[in-house]
C-alpha cells in the first residue's frame, strides 16, 4: 500500500442511499487517496454500483457526505458547480453509453468544446492522440454503430479521459463485452492505473482485481464488510462472508 | 340519381377547391401552433416539478380521451359564454382553438414518448462528463429522440388534415362543408365522393412528402 500516505482525494462519510423501501447503502465510510486503485468486490445487489454512482452524484445519497478534493459535493447547490466537479470525475459504464449519433472523434470532443470551450482544432488533436493511445485512431470518423463492444468501451474510456479527470470510476466495464474483448479493455484500464490515475473499479474480473488493486473493499448489504490489500482479501479473508464469496467465484 | 360525379366536379370545382384550401389552412394552423404548444407541454410533462408535470399529463389525458367534436362544441358554445374575456374570439377562432389544443395534446405525447425512448444511459454519460443539463438535452438526447418523433409527428399531421372535417359541422368553410353548400342544389351523394377523393389526394401527397423528408434525414445520418 504505497499510496495511503498521499493526499486524500475522495472521502466518504456515513453514506446512506435507499430506493423506496430498499436500503442499498447503510453507512459507508472510506477514503480514497490520490493515485490509489481501489476495487469494489461483493455480491450483486450489495451496493457496489450504487456506491460508485454516489461518488459523482448520479445517485443522490439521502444521508452522509462525499468530499471530493476537500469539498462536500453533496452540499453543492448550483448545477454549474456540480458540472465542474463531474468533469474531474470520469465514469465508464457497463453499457458503454457512447453517443450513437456522433462520430468517435465527436464523442470525445463534444463536451470539451461545449463545456471547457476548448477550440475545435485543439480538441480534435487531443482526441486523436487519445484514440491513438487506445489503438483505434482509424475509427475516428466512424459512428459507434460500426465499432465492436471493446472498441466502444475504449472510446468511452478516452472520452472520459479527455476531460482530464482526477479520478476514474469504472462500473463493471467488461460485463457487457464478448469474452474475447475483455482483455483489450482491461489492458487500457491497467495502463491508466499504472500511469498513476486514481481508479475506483467495480468488476467481477477477480484476476484483474488481484493484479491491479492497491486496496479492495468488500461491499455487502450496504456496508464495507471488509477491506485490505489483494493479498489480505484473497489469501487471508477475515469474515466468513468473504471466504464464502471467494469460494464461490474463484474456480 | 341526378348528374354524375365528374359533371358535378366540372361545374362546381371552384367550390371544392376553396373548401380544400380551407381544409389546408385549418390543418396548417392547427398543426403549426399545436406543435409549438405541444412541444412545450411535452417538456413540461417531463419536468421534475411534480405539479407541473402532473398538470401537463392531465391535460393530454383529458384532451386525447374525449372526442374532438365534443371539444369543438364546448369551444364553440360554452367558452365564449363562460369566459367573457374570450368573447372577442370569432366563431371560427373558437373552432380553430379547439383544433390547436387537440393537436397539441397529441404532439405533447409524441415529444414526451420520443424523449423517453432515449436510453437514460445517454443522459448519465453526458452528465458524468460534466455536460450541462441544457446541452445534454439539445446535443445528446434530442437528436436521438428525433428519430422516434418525426415519423409519429408526420402521422399526426396527416390525421389532422382529416380531423379538420369536423369544423364543417360549425359552418366553417372547409372541404367537408361543401357538401352542405351543394345540398342546396339538390346534390346529395356526388359531393361526398368528390370530397373523399380530394381528402385522399391530400393525405397521400402529404404522406409522400413526409416520407421523402424522412428519407433525406436518415440519409444524412450515417450510424
Amino acid at each position: 500500500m504505497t499510496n495511503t500516505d498521499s493526499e486524500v482525494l475522495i472521502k466518504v462519510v456515513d453514506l446512506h442511499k435507499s430506493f423506496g423501501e430498499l436500503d442499498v447503502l447503510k453507512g459507508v465510510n472510506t477514503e480514497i487517496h490520490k493515485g490509489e486503485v481501489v476495487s469494489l468486490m461483493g455480491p450483486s445487489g450489495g451496493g457496489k454500483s450504487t456506491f460508485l454512482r454516489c461518488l459523482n452524484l448520479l445517485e443522490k445519497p439521502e444521508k452522509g457526505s462525499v468530499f471530493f478534493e476537500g469539498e462536500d459535493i453533496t452540499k453543492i447547490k448550483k448545477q454549474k458547480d456540480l458540472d465542474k466537479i463531474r468533469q474531474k470525475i470520469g465514469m465508464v459504464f457497463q453499457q458503454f453509453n457512447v453517443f450513437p449519433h456522433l462520430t468517435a472523434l465527436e464523442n470525445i470532443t463534444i463536451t470539451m468544446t461545449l463545456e471547457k470551450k476548448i477550440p475545435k482544432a485543439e480538441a480534435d488533436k487531443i482526441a486523436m492522440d487519445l484514440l491513438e493511445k487506445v489503438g483505434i485512431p482509424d475509427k475516428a470518423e466512424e459512428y459507434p454503430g460500426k465499432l465492436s463492444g471493446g472498441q466502444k468501451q475504449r472510446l468511452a474510456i478516452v472520452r472520459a479521459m479527455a476531460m482530464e479527470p482526477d479520478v476514474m470510476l469504472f462500473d463493471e466495464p467488461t460485463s457487457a463485452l464478448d469474452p474475447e474483448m475483455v482483455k483489450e479493455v482491461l489492458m487500457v484500464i491497467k495502463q491508466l492505473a499504472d500511469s498513476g490515475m486514481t481508479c475506483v473499479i467495480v468488476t467481477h474480473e477477480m484476476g484483474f482485481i488481484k493484479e491491479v488493486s492497491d486496496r479492495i473493499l468488500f461491499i455487502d448489504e450496504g456496508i464495507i464488510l471488509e477491506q485490505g490489500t489483494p493479498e489480505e482479501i484473497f489469501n487471508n479473508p477475515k469474515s466468513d462472508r468473504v471466504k464464502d464469496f471467494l469460494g464461490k467465484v474463484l474456480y | 340519381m341526378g348528374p354524375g360525379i365528374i359533371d358535378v366536379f366540372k361545374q362546381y370545382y371552384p367550390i371544392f377547391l376553396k373548401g380544400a384550401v380551407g381544409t389546408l389552412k385549418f390543418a396548417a394552423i392547427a398543426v403549426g401552433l399545436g406543435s409549438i404548444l405541444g412541444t412545450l407541454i411535452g417538456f413540461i410533462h417531463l419536468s421534475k416539478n411534480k405539479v407541473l408535470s402532473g398538470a401537463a399529463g392531465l391535460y393530454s389525458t383529458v384532451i386525447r380521451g374525449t372526442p374532438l367534436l365534443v371539444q369543438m362544441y364546448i369551444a364553440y358554445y360554452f367558452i365564449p359564454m363562460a369566459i367573457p374575456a374570450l368573447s372577442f374570439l370569432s366563431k371560427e377562432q373558437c373552432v380553430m382553438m379547439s383544433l390547436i389544443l387537440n393537436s397539441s395534446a397529441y404532439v405533447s405525447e409524441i415529444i414526451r414518448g420520443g424523449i423517453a425512448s432515449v436510453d437514460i444511459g445517454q443522459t448519465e454519460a453526458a452528465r458524468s462528463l460534466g455536460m450541462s443539463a441544457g446541452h445534454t438535452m439539445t446535443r445528446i438526447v434530442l437528436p436521438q429522440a428525433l428519430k422516434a418523433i418525426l415519423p409519429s409527428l408526420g402521422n399526426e399531421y396527416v390525421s389532422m388534415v382529416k380531423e379538420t372535417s369536423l369544423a364543417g359541422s360549425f359552418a366553417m368553410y372547409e372541404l367537408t362543408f361543401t357538401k352542405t353548400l351543394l345540398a342546396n342544389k339538390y346534390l346529395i351523394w356526388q359531393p361526398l365522393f368528390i370530397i373523399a377523393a380530394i381528402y385522399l389526394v391530400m393525405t397521400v401527397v402529404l404522406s409522400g412528402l413526409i416520407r421523402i423528408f424522412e428519407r433525406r434525414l436518415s440519409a444524412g445520418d450515417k450510424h
Side-chain angles (χ1 to χ4, degrees):
Chain A
M1 298 219 39
T2 50
N3 295 306
T4 39
D5 297 333
S6 69
E7 184 187 334
V8 174
L9 187 66
I10 298 174
K11 184 176 171 189
V12 177
V13 180
D14 195 30
L15 197 67
H16 285 75
K17 173 72 192 174
S18 49
F19 296 104
E21 296 283 284
L22 188 69
D23 296 326
V24 180
L25 297 179
K26 303 173 190 164
V28 176
N29 297 280
T30 193
E31 285 180 358
I32 293 162
H33 297 82
K34 220 175 174 102
E36 199 179 12
V37 177
V38 176
S39 295
L40 310 181
M41 184 195 273
S44 296
K48 305 182 300 289
S49 285
T50 305
F51 171 71
L52 200 68
R53 290 162 60 85
C54 281
L55 296 184
N56 64 353
L57 297 190
L58 276 188
E59 304 292 351
K60 300 266 185 310
E62 272 88 37
K63 203 182 134 199
S65 301
V66 177
F67 292 89
F68 179 76
E69 296 178 345
E71 182 183 10
D72 184 355
I73 61 174
T74 62
K75 298 276 189 297
I76 290 177
K77 289 278 181 300
K78 276 164 85 182
Q79 200 54 58
K80 253 211 159 90
D81 296 337
L82 183 57
D83 291 341
K84 283 263 178 300
I85 296 288
R86 281 177 169 156
Q87 290 172 13
K88 295 192 225 167
I89 307 177
M91 188 167 205
V92 174
F93 299 84
Q94 181 177 353
Q95 301 296 338
F96 328 132
N97 297 344
V98 288
F99 306 134
H101 61 302
L102 302 176
T103 64
L105 197 75
E106 290 165 343
N107 260 274
I108 302 173
T109 57
I110 185 166
T111 318
M112 301 164 82
T113 52
L114 283 177
E115 310 299 342
K116 283 190 154 180
K117 310 286 177 212
I118 295 172
K120 187 166 179 314
E122 194 182 325
D124 282 353
K125 194 182 168 306
I126 295 169
M128 275 313 298
D129 286 349
L130 285 165
L131 288 173
E132 198 102 36
K133 264 190 190 146
V134 294
I136 47 173
D138 52 320
K139 304 292 183 194
E141 299 304 324
E142 295 281 12
Y143 286 86
K146 292 262 170 67
L147 304 184
S148 72
Q151 292 170 335
K152 280 183 204 167
Q153 195 62 303
R154 284 184 273 162
L155 171 61
I157 293 172
V158 289
R159 177 179 66 177
M161 290 302 301
M163 302 305 286
E164 301 186 309
D166 294 337
V167 57
M168 287 284 288
L169 313 177
F170 295 91
D171 191 1
E172 302 201 24
T174 58
S175 296
L177 290 173
D178 288 337
E180 72 266 31
M181 291 172 182
V182 168
K183 196 171 173 186
E184 64 189 53
V185 171
L186 291 182
M187 302 255 289
V188 170
I189 301 174
K190 171 106 174 51
Q191 254 177 37
L192 258 179
D194 288 347
S195 76
M197 173 63 72
T198 312
C199 295
V200 186
I201 308 170
V202 175
T203 180
H204 295 293
E205 299 289 336
M206 291 301 147
F208 183 70
I209 288 188
K210 207 170 185 174
E211 185 187 336
V212 80
S213 311
D214 294 314
R215 183 161 53 110
I216 296 169
L217 308 181
F218 189 94
I219 295 183
D220 188 23
E221 296 189 358
I223 56 161
I224 299 177
L225 193 65
E226 188 169 334
Q227 60 174 304
T229 61
E231 211 90 324
E232 291 165 338
I233 296 287
F234 280 96
N235 300 339
N236 198 12
K238 291 185 209 90
S239 74
D240 290 342
R241 184 70 193 88
V242 180
K243 279 179 203 159
D244 181 55
F245 178 81
L246 289 171
K248 280 176 180 157
V249 296
L250 293 178
Y251 184 69
Chain B
M1 289 283 281
I5 291 172
I6 305 231
D7 293 330
V8 170
F9 183 72
K10 272 185 183 155
Q11 191 175 349
Y12 295 108
Y13 73 89
I15 291 179
F16 290 113
L17 288 187
K18 194 177 166 201
V21 168
T23 288
L24 288 176
K25 184 190 80 179
F26 275 104
I29 295 175
V31 156
L33 297 182
S35 294
I36 295 170
L37 186 61
T39 303
L40 205 68
I41 293 166
F43 274 102
I44 293 173
H45 197 165
L46 285 165
S47 84
K48 285 199 188 105
N49 185 318
K50 289 225 167 68
V51 177
L52 286 177
S53 163
L58 185 67
Y59 173 86
S60 97
T61 302
V62 169
I63 301 248
R64 291 181 311 132
T66 53
L68 175 56
L69 188 58
V70 174
Q71 293 164 18
M72 282 181 166
Y73 278 121
I74 292 173
Y76 192 84
Y77 294 112
F78 181 74
I79 299 285
M81 181 180 80
I83 309 173
L86 291 178
S87 58
F88 69 92
L89 288 174
S90 69
K91 290 297 183 191
E92 181 175 310
Q93 284 166 333
C94 287
V95 171
M96 202 62 248
M97 182 176 73
S98 66
L99 278 172
I100 293 169
L101 296 184
N102 188 269
S103 171
S104 75
Y106 285 92
V107 170
S108 80
E109 279 304 300
I110 291 168
I111 301 282
R112 191 192 63 81
I115 289 173
S117 75
V118 178
D119 180 11
I120 184 71
Q122 293 288 308
T123 302
E124 288 184 349
R127 300 312 303 277
S128 81
L129 288 165
M131 196 183 283
S132 69
H135 282 145
T136 300
M137 181 50 77
T138 58
R139 307 299 287 270
I140 303 299
V141 177
L142 269 186
Q144 296 182 60
L146 237 40
K147 269 188 172 174
I149 289 173
L150 287 179
S152 317
L153 218 48
N155 290 339
E156 169 59 18
Y157 292 175
V158 172
S159 38
M160 194 35 80
V161 168
K162 293 178 288 172
E163 300 281 8
T164 56
S165 69
L166 293 175
S169 310
F170 300 87
M172 300 297 138
Y173 204 132
E174 50 73 59
L175 189 52
T176 307
F177 184 61
T178 56
K179 106 184 143 57
T180 313
L181 294 175
L182 293 174
N184 298 334
K185 304 192 190 309
Y186 301 102
L187 296 168
I188 306 300
W189 62 273
Q190 301 89 335
L192 298 178
F193 287 95
I194 295 170
I195 290 166
I198 297 176
Y199 274 117
L200 188 61
V201 169
M202 289 196 293
T203 53
V204 167
V205 168
L206 191 56
S207 300
L209 288 176
I210 289 168
R211 213 166 304 132
I212 290 170
F213 178 66
E214 273 168 20
R215 214 171 296 147
R216 284 262 169 85
L217 272 183
S218 62
D221 138 71
K222 298 146 234 119
H223 39 95

